[in-house]
Amino acid sequence: MNKKQNLIDALQAITWFQELSKEHFEKIAEISHIVEVNKDDTLFSEGDKEDYLYIVLEGRIAIEIYSPFRGRLRIYTAEPLEIVGWSSVTPVIRQRTASTRAVLDSRLIAIDAQILRKFGDDDPELGYIIMRRMANVVAGRLMVTRLQLLDLFGHPTEDQ
Amino acid sequence: MKPTNAIPTTAHRAEYLLAPYWAKLKEITQETDDTATYWFEFEDEDLRKKYQFGHGQFNMLYLPGYGEAAISISSDPEKPELIGHTIRFVGNVTRAVSRLRVGQSIGMRGPFGTTWPIEAYKNHDVVITAGGIGLAPLRPVIYHILNHRDDYDRVVILYGARTPKDLLYIQEYSKWEDQGIEVIPTVDRADENWGGQVGVVPMLFYRLRFDNEKTVVFSCGPEIMMRFVVFEGLARRIAPEKIYLSMERNMKCGQGFCGHCQLGPYFICKDGPVYRFDQLEPYFNLEDL
Amino acid sequence: MVDKTLNLGTTVAIKKEKLLQLILTLTEKGYQPIGPCLKDGVISYEPIVSIDALPQGFSSEQEKGHYRVKPGNHKRYFDITPGPHTWKKFLFPPRTQLFKAHLLNGHWQETLEKEETPRYALIGVRPCESAAIQIQDKVFIREDFSDPIYAKRRENLLIVTVNCLHPSPTCFCTSMNTGPKAQGGFDLSLTELDDVFLVELGSDAGIAVMQQIEWEPASAFLHQIAQQGFKEAEDAIIRQIDNLESVPNMLLSNLEHPYWNEVGQRCMSCTSCTQVCPTCFCWDVEDSTDLNGKYTRRERVWDSCFNLAYSTQAGGNTRPSTKSRYRQWLTHKMGSWVHQFDSLGCVGCGRCVTWCPAKIDITEEIKTFQDVTA
C-alpha cells in the first residue's frame, strides 16, 4: 500500500502526468513501479531488449556507448524528470541503442513498455499523447546531440 | 556609439602607435594541457600602481617578431598589480607565449573594450554560462561576486568543456561553492570516472529553473553555444537587455582604427567585446557578416 | 580706394601666372608643395616645384572600368578629375615604421623614434577629396584614441582646393553633398577661370600665404562667371544616388537579400576599390625580425576588407565568400559608417566606378538595392 502511494506521489510530481485524464493516469500507474539503482550499477545495456521506459526521479543516469580501443564513452547524463530509454516506445528500434549506468544513487519510475505500447494501440487518444511526448524527447536529444557533434570546444583546424 | 563602462587605457603610449609597455612574467599556472594562466607585472613601477582594468576587458600582448594577440584578463580587478591572462595555445602568437619562462618580458597595451556590468545588477540572480576558454573573461566577474557576495542573490555558473581534463579552474570550484555559488560543470564526453554531467551548456540552461524577472545572464564561449543560450533565455522571457555576450573577431590594434574587428557597425575592440543582446540582435547569427 | 585687407571668407582674384608665386611662397613658409602630375599615364600626386609639373591642357576620360588622360583643347591646369591616387597617403602613409626593438641580455628594448613630421601643402585638392580628408579626420582623431602619425601630419597640413567645373561621368559629388564647390575644409580654395584664379580665403594660414602674392579684388563679373560654371558643372553630373538619407538603413536592414549573391558573383575581390578610395582606412600590422630573432620591427601597412587574411584568425575565416566581403565594404561605406562616425564614408569621387575591373558601379548597385528592397 505504501509502495503504491509512493508511486502515485512520484508520478504526480511529473508535469505531463498531471495533464493526463484520471482514467489514463490510473492505467499508467498500474503498469509502473519504482526502481532504485546504486552508484555505478547498470540500469540496462546496449543490445538488451527494451522492456521499460524510465523517468529519472532522483540522481543521475549516464548514457554510454562502447567502442573498441576507446572503451565506454559517456555521451549524455539524464537528470531528474528526464526520460531514459525512449527507444522502448518508438516502434522501429527493437533493442537498446546505448547502455545506462547510475552516476549517483538514483531512483527512477519504470513503466512496462510493452503494455504501454498496447495501450496506445487500443486507445488512440492515449497513444497520441504518449507519442507526442516521445517526439519532444527525441527532438530535444537530437538537437543537443547535434551541438555536441560540432565539438565546439575542440581545437580549430587552421593555424594562424 | 559610446562604449559602456569604459575604463581609461593606462598602458598606452599616445604618441607612438602600437608601442607597448613591458611586463615581466612572474608565475605560470598550468590549467589544462593546452591552456595556462600567465601572471604579469609591469616593469614600470608607476604604471604597475596606476594600471586598472574592468571585468571582461583585454590587453594586447606583444611578442616581438611574432605579433600581438588580444587576450582577456582573467584575474581579480581589485588586485590589478598582478595581471593574469588565461591563454589557450592555438596560433603563432599564443604558442610563442607558451615558450616564455618566468622572468622574461612581454609587451602589453591596454586595457581595452567594454565590461560585464556586474555592479549594475545588485540584488539580481546571476547566471554565468561559459564554454571552453570562455570562462576566462568571466572569472573577473566571479571574483567580484566573491568579494561582494551579499550584493547578489542566487549565482549559478554553467560551464562546459570537451572533456573533464579541459575544464578550467577546476581546483577553484569548491571555493566558489563555499560562498554559495552553484557551479555546474559539464563535458561533451567523459569516461566512467566523471561524476558530473555530460551534455552541452545549453542543455544545462534548459534544465535550470530561474526567475526570469530578476535574472541577468553573462555568456561567453563559441558563438553557437551563446546562440542557443540566447534562444532559451528569450523563450523564458529574460529581457534581451539582461543577456550579455562577449564577441570575438580578428583584432590588430585594439583601439578601433584598423577596421579588422568590425561586426556590422560595431568595432568589437571598442564597442565590445561585451554586448547587450538587444544591441547585437540585428547582426548576431548572420552568416559571414 | 581699394580695400587691401584680406578677410576670412572673402574671395580675391590672381592672375594665372601667379600660381608659381603661390608654390614658391608655400615653399618659403616651410611647406612641401604637392600637386597633380601626369605620371605613368595617370594623374599622380607628387612633390612639385613649379607649375610646369602640373597637367596643363589635359583632361581625364573616365567611365566604368575605363581611365585615360588625354590632351584637351584648353589651357587649364586643373581640368583633370581624380585619378587612382588619393591624398590620404600623405596623412596615412601606405607603409610606416612604428618602432624597432632589439634583444639585449634577454630583455627587449624598444626604439621609439620621433619622426620628422612633414609639412605638406596639398595643391589641387578637389572638393570631394577635401570632404574625404574631413571624413578621415573623424576616423583617425577621436576623443578616446588618436592616431599620432595622422594627427601630427594633419596639424602641419595646408590644403588648397580647386573647385570642379568639368566633372567626369563617373562623378556623383552632388548626390553626396561634397561638390562641385568646396564648402569649407580648406585654407585656400581656387576656382580656375580662363585668365584668373579666384581664391577664397578659408583660414589664417591661407591668409598668411595670400599676403605674399599679388592679388586683386574679385569683380562681380568674375563671380558671375564662376557661378555659371558651377551650375554647368552640376548639370553635367550624370550619376546620382537618390534618397541618400534612406540608404544606410535600407542596406543594414537587408543584409540577407538574395541580390548580394548576384553582386558577389561579379566582384573579383581584387581590392582595387579600396585602394583608390580616399576614405578607406583599414590597416594591418607587419612584424619582421632578422634571422637571429634579436632585432624586430613593427610596421603599419594599408589593408583591405577584401583581403582573405583580413578576417582570418586562429579558428578560421569569418568572411570566406566574396559576397560577404563585398557586402562588408558596401554596407560599411554607405551604412555602418554613419553609426561609427556620424557621416557616410563616400564622397562621390567616382574612383571605385572607374577602377573596378568588373565594372561594378556603386551608384547602380545602390539603385538596384533600392528597387529590389522597395
Side-chain angles (χ1 to χ4, degrees):
Chain A
M1 210 28 225
N2 219 358
K3 255 191 170 167
K4 182 85 184 191
Q5 193 50 45
N6 279 342
L7 177 67
I8 306 276
D9 290 342
L11 284 172
Q12 283 178 333
I14 299 168
T15 334
W16 71 274
F17 273 103
Q18 289 162 14
E19 289 157 7
L20 290 175
S21 70
K22 190 168 181 314
E23 192 203 327
H24 288 157
F25 181 90
E26 277 169 9
K27 270 175 108 162
I28 296 187
E30 278 291 306
I31 59 167
S32 308
H33 65 278
I34 300 222
V35 167
E36 283 175 9
V37 209
N38 289 327
K39 182 161 153 16
D40 293 334
D41 280 352
T42 299
L43 190 57
F44 56 76
S45 298
E46 230 173 306
D48 282 356
K49 282 192 71 57
E50 3 76 333
D51 35 17
Y52 293 102
L53 175 70
Y54 295 97
I55 305 175
V56 181
L57 291 170
E58 282 161 33
R60 179 172 294 153
I61 302 292
I63 297 177
E64 298 176 338
I65 291 184
Y66 172 76
S67 138
F69 303 114
R70 296 173 83 183
R72 266 186 141 188
L73 292 168
R74 190 166 293 177
I75 54 167
Y76 191 71
T77 51
E79 300 294 306
L81 299 185
E82 289 191 5
I83 284 179
V84 175
W86 51 264
S87 57
S88 58
V89 180
T90 55
V92 180
I93 302 167
R94 283 273 156 251
Q95 283 179 304
R96 292 298 191 194
T97 54
S99 306
T100 52
R101 189 207 308 236
V103 180
L104 305 169
D105 290 342
S106 304
R107 243 173 109 234
L108 305 92
I109 294 174
I111 306 174
D112 188 324
Q114 202 179 25
I115 304 179
L116 188 67
R117 286 199 301 272
K118 185 147 194 321
F119 278 169
D121 291 339
D122 295 339
D123 179 351
E125 198 194 313
L126 178 58
Y128 174 65
I129 293 172
I130 295 168
M131 281 304 154
R132 211 176 57 193
R133 186 80 200 111
M134 290 302 117
N136 266 347
V137 171
V138 179
R141 295 284 163 83
L142 178 62
M143 189 181 58
V144 168
T145 305
R146 279 177 175 159
L147 291 181
Q148 267 171 279
L149 266 180
L150 289 174
D151 194 18
L152 297 175
F153 307 136
H155 290 259
T157 46
E158 258 182 72
D159 261 350
Q160 167 116 43
Chain B
M1 286 176 298
K2 290 271 176 275
T4 56
N5 313 355
I7 308 263
T9 304
T10 36
H12 162 66
R13 292 188 209 257
E15 329 83 64
Y16 298 102
L17 195 60
L18 260 42
Y21 283 99
W22 300 101
K24 194 178 287 211
L25 178 58
K26 303 293 285 182
E27 205 185 310
I28 305 174
T29 310
Q30 195 70 30
E31 307 280 359
T32 68
D33 281 345
D34 63 354
T35 311
T37 301
Y38 284 74
W39 299 89
F40 294 101
E41 210 177 64
F42 279 110
E43 283 179 5
D44 181 319
E45 214 183 300
D46 280 334
L47 182 59
R48 203 186 311 156
K49 298 205 166 72
K50 238 181 24 184
Y51 182 85
Q52 281 195 306
F53 67 93
H55 315 93
Q57 289 196 300
F58 63 95
N59 282 324
M60 294 299 284
L61 299 186
Y62 173 58
L63 268 167
Y66 290 95
E68 281 184 309
I71 308 279
S72 301
I73 306 168
S74 59
S75 55
D76 187 350
E78 290 179 38
K79 304 197 181 94
E81 285 199 23
L82 192 62
I83 307 161
H85 290 94
T86 305
I87 303 178
R88 190 178 184 197
F89 312 123
V90 290
N92 270 349
V93 177
T94 48
R95 286 211 191 93
V97 173
S98 72
R99 295 192 285 270
L100 278 182
R101 298 284 160 263
V102 170
Q104 291 186 300
S105 291
I106 200 174
M108 210 186 285
R109 314 185 276 123
F112 300 111
T114 52
T115 59
W116 304 105
I118 181 67
E119 288 123 316
Y121 287 99
K122 293 202 169 85
N123 303 319
H124 271 72
D125 291 343
V126 183
V127 174
I128 291 174
T129 65
I133 191 71
L135 190 57
L138 281 163
R139 189 164 70 159
V141 173
I142 300 173
Y143 281 129
H144 179 87
I145 294 173
L146 292 170
N147 293 335
H148 306 270
R149 185 64 185 93
D150 292 333
D151 283 349
Y152 304 95
D153 290 350
R154 187 177 171 216
V155 180
V156 182
I157 300 174
L158 306 177
Y159 174 53
R162 221 170 171 213
T163 69
K165 282 196 298 121
D166 299 305
L167 290 166
L168 283 184
Y169 315 133
I170 198 166
Q171 67 280 14
E172 293 186 54
Y173 297 171
S174 49
K175 271 190 270 188
W176 300 348
E177 283 171 326
D178 286 343
Q179 289 273 11
I181 297 179
E182 295 166 54
V183 184
I184 307 178
T186 186
V187 294
D188 282 349
R189 62 179 180 284
D191 59 22
E192 64 247 26
N193 296 315
W194 171 244
Q197 299 198 30
V198 175
V200 289
V201 169
M203 183 80 250
L204 300 182
F205 195 55
Y206 300 152
R207 291 183 188 145
L208 193 68
R209 295 258 161 277
F210 52 80
D211 179 345
N212 65 315
E213 296 279 311
K214 64 183 288 224
T215 299
V216 65
V217 178
F218 292 150
S219 188
C220 181
E223 260 184 61
I224 303 178
M225 182 208 88
M226 293 195 289
R227 192 185 309 165
F228 280 86
V229 166
V230 167
F231 286 167
E232 181 66 12
L234 295 176
R236 305 249 224 127
R237 302 211 206 285
I238 299 182
E241 305 79 54
K242 283 192 173 170
I243 302 175
Y244 290 84
L245 309 177
S246 182
M247 301 298 287
E248 191 191 335
R249 283 292 185 275
N250 191 12
M251 281 190 200
K252 292 281 171 166
C253 72
Q255 302 169 259
F257 284 131
C258 72
H260 281 71
C261 65
Q262 288 176 85
L263 174 65
Y266 299 120
F267 288 90
I268 294 204
C269 66
K270 70 174 177 78
D271 309 312
V274 177
Y275 289 93
R276 282 196 332 251
F277 181 67
D278 60 305
Q279 293 172 298
L280 264 185
E281 197 170 355
Y283 314 106
F284 190 64
N285 221 7
L286 286 180
E287 207 180 306
D288 294 350
L289 193 65
Chain C
M1 260 302 277
V2 180
D3 183 4
K4 277 293 187 177
T5 50
L6 291 167
N7 295 313
L8 272 182
T10 54
T11 303
V12 299
I14 60 172
K15 293 214 167 36
K16 277 281 182 90
E17 59 266 22
K18 295 297 174 197
L19 189 59
L20 176 60
Q21 224 182 338
L22 174 67
I23 296 174
L24 295 174
T25 307
L26 288 167
T27 313
E28 266 168 49
K29 288 196 175 291
Y31 290 100
Q32 167 155 74
I34 312 276
C37 305
L38 185 57
K39 185 179 175 201
D40 297 333
V42 300
I43 295 300
S44 171
Y45 297 136
E46 307 287 330
I48 54 173
V49 293
S50 81
I51 54 178
D52 299 330
L54 297 171
Q56 187 187 19
F58 282 91
S59 294
S60 331
E61 196 182 86
Q62 301 198 39
E63 235 316 325
K64 275 200 291 195
H66 176 85
Y67 180 87
R68 296 286 186 278
V69 179
K70 292 193 166 141
N73 45 2
H74 62 84
K75 285 187 146 353
R76 289 183 288 270
Y77 289 95
F78 295 105
D79 211 53
I80 37 74
T81 45
H85 291 265
T86 62
W87 300 99
K88 79 179 181 190
K89 70 182 184 195
F90 298 103
L91 294 168
F92 167 42
R95 182 174 286 270
T96 323
Q97 181 176 286
L98 300 175
F99 62 85
K100 294 190 290 214
H102 64 275
L103 197 53
L104 198 61
N105 300 326
H107 275 272
W108 284 97
Q109 183 61 46
E110 76 277 13
T111 314
L112 302 172
E113 287 154 356
K114 276 210 141 81
E115 67 152 0
E116 176 80 46
T117 305
R119 298 189 76 200
Y120 293 122
L122 308 180
I123 304 171
V125 178
R126 323 260 37 168
C128 57
E129 295 179 296
S130 92
I133 293 176
Q134 286 176 69
I135 287 176
Q136 284 213 324
D137 286 346
K138 289 204 229 169
V139 173
F140 286 95
I141 301 175
R142 301 195 322 252
E143 217 182 291
D144 49 349
F145 298 114
S146 270
D147 177 342
I149 302 166
Y150 185 99
K152 285 197 210 118
R153 284 164 177 243
R154 185 64 177 95
E155 227 180 278
N156 285 353
L157 196 73
L158 189 121
I159 298 177
V160 180
T161 56
V162 172
N163 292 318
C164 239
L165 295 174
H166 301 98
S168 281
T170 48
C171 295
F172 54 101
C173 60
T174 45
S175 297
M176 309 306 293
N177 298 315
T178 55
K181 182 173 190 289
Q183 306 286 352
F186 54 81
D187 296 287
L188 293 170
S189 180
L190 308 178
T191 307
E192 185 171 14
L193 303 179
D194 285 330
D195 305 309
V196 300
F197 282 106
L198 290 180
V199 185
E200 190 184 337
L201 304 167
S203 74
D204 292 333
I207 292 178
V209 170
M210 276 314 294
Q211 277 165 344
Q212 311 295 327
I213 301 170
E214 241 183 270
W215 56 270
E216 309 148 0
S219 66
F221 176 62
L222 289 174
H223 277 289
Q224 198 185 28
I225 298 181
Q227 282 308 111
Q228 182 63 23
F230 291 131
K231 172 106 197 0
E232 281 166 21
E234 279 174 29
D235 292 340
I237 297 221
I238 304 171
R239 284 182 158 77
Q240 62 189 50
I241 296 184
D242 296 322
N243 295 323
L244 189 66
E245 333 69 52
S246 65
V247 170
N249 198 42
M250 181 271 295
L251 287 175
L252 290 175
S253 321
N254 288 287
L255 294 168
E256 298 195 284
H257 196 278
Y259 186 66
W260 289 111
N261 294 319
E262 225 252 69
V263 172
Q265 279 192 344
R266 283 183 280 137
C267 175
M268 294 191 274
S269 204
C270 70
T271 81
S272 291
C273 54
T274 54
Q275 286 185 55
V276 298
C277 175
T279 61
C280 271
F281 61 83
C282 287
W283 48 265
D284 198 0
V285 190
E286 271 178 21
D287 289 281
S288 41
T289 45
D290 67 336
L291 285 174
N292 288 326
K294 290 203 162 58
Y295 287 88
T296 187
R297 185 178 63 196
R298 287 214 104 184
E299 290 177 305
R300 179 185 69 176
V301 296
W302 283 4
D303 199 353
S304 167
C305 53
F306 283 99
N307 280 330
L308 262 178
Y310 185 84
S311 42
T312 305
Q313 58 176 51
N317 190 335
T318 49
R319 290 192 200 114
S321 63
T322 303
K323 156 220 160 165
S324 63
R325 298 197 293 280
Y326 182 83
R327 176 177 62 186
Q328 164 61 24
W329 180 75
L330 189 64
T331 57
H332 184 203
K333 191 93 28 209
M334 289 294 203
S336 305
W337 207 291
V338 175
H339 296 285
Q340 296 170 349
F341 305 109
D342 289 329
S343 78
L344 282 174
C346 174
V347 293
C349 69
R351 282 179 173 91
C352 56
V353 180
T354 301
W355 294 96
C356 174
K359 298 198 180 167
I360 296 176
D361 177 343
I362 195 174
T363 60
E364 265 174 32
E365 298 308 326
I366 299 276
K367 175 117 197 12
T368 310
F369 270 111
Q370 285 172 325
D371 289 342
V372 301
T373 59

